[in-house]
Amino acid sequence: AQSVTQLDSQVPVFEEAPVELRCNYSSSVSVYLFWYVQYPNQGLQLLLKYLSGSTLVKGINGFEAEFNKSQTSFHLRKPSVHISDTAEYFCAVSDRGGNKLVFGAGTILRVKS
Amino acid sequence: DVKVTQSSRYLVKRTGEKVFLECVQDMDHENMFWYRQDPGLGLRLIYFSYDVKMKEKGDIPEGYSVSREKKERFSLILESASTNQTSMYLCASSLSSGPFYEQYFGPGTRLTVT
């Protein structure tokens, strides 16, 4: 069975600082990987996804993530965060044959001024 | 823009009541999903449907059932609500099957069972 581990439950960071949200997955087969964001009182929104090809994936709002197969990781990064990036971020995995997403527990990013 | 709407943002029910959560999407999507979101556990799939009247169990179907009589509407049913079903419930839809198709989420229904 697949699983996703988000290593930090909360990440506080000052505005304009860089941030990395960590995600590790376990799977015996090739996977697709996703990052979703949930702003307060809203549903989830897709930030970016890795399906194949380049291991560096760029998403919306200046976020990017790097797929590392040897380390089974898919960490999310942003070089300079804004107050408006305060939200909960979820990493998710889907196997190649499946329609189902398995989500991590989420990481709350708190951007301070 | 895809729009997924859920009938209530907040709902309070008593133990033993039958509860209906409704979800509607306006983009003719084939697939619809119900998730439960709990702090520290992320989202867990309850049920999904890939066509009208078709359904498949997710990871935590116990205590829930679903109904999809029309393509745009997917209902989650708690036959006899219990306090351990107090949670945030999120509905999602996607155009078709497979991870190439993005899942679009509704705003969620926060259900409290007392």
Side-chain angles (χ1 to χ4, degrees), chain A residues 51-70:
Chain A
L51 303 181
S52 66
S54 172
T55 56
L56 184 63
V57 180
K58 294 193 183 296
I60 61 171
N61 300 338
F63 284 92
E64 63 181 32
E66 186 155 20
F67 170 58
N68 188 320
K69 188 174 181 179
S70 62

Side-chain angles (χ1 to χ4, degrees), chain B residues 27-51:
Chain B
M27 284 301 291
D28 203 34
H29 283 180
E30 288 182 1
N31 295 351
M32 296 188 75
F33 307 81
W34 274 107
Y35 293 91
R36 172 175 170 158
Q37 181 181 7
D38 298 289
L41 296 177
L43 279 74
R44 293 176 291 167
L45 182 64
I46 305 172
Y47 268 97
F48 71 99
S49 167
Y50 48 90
D51 201 352

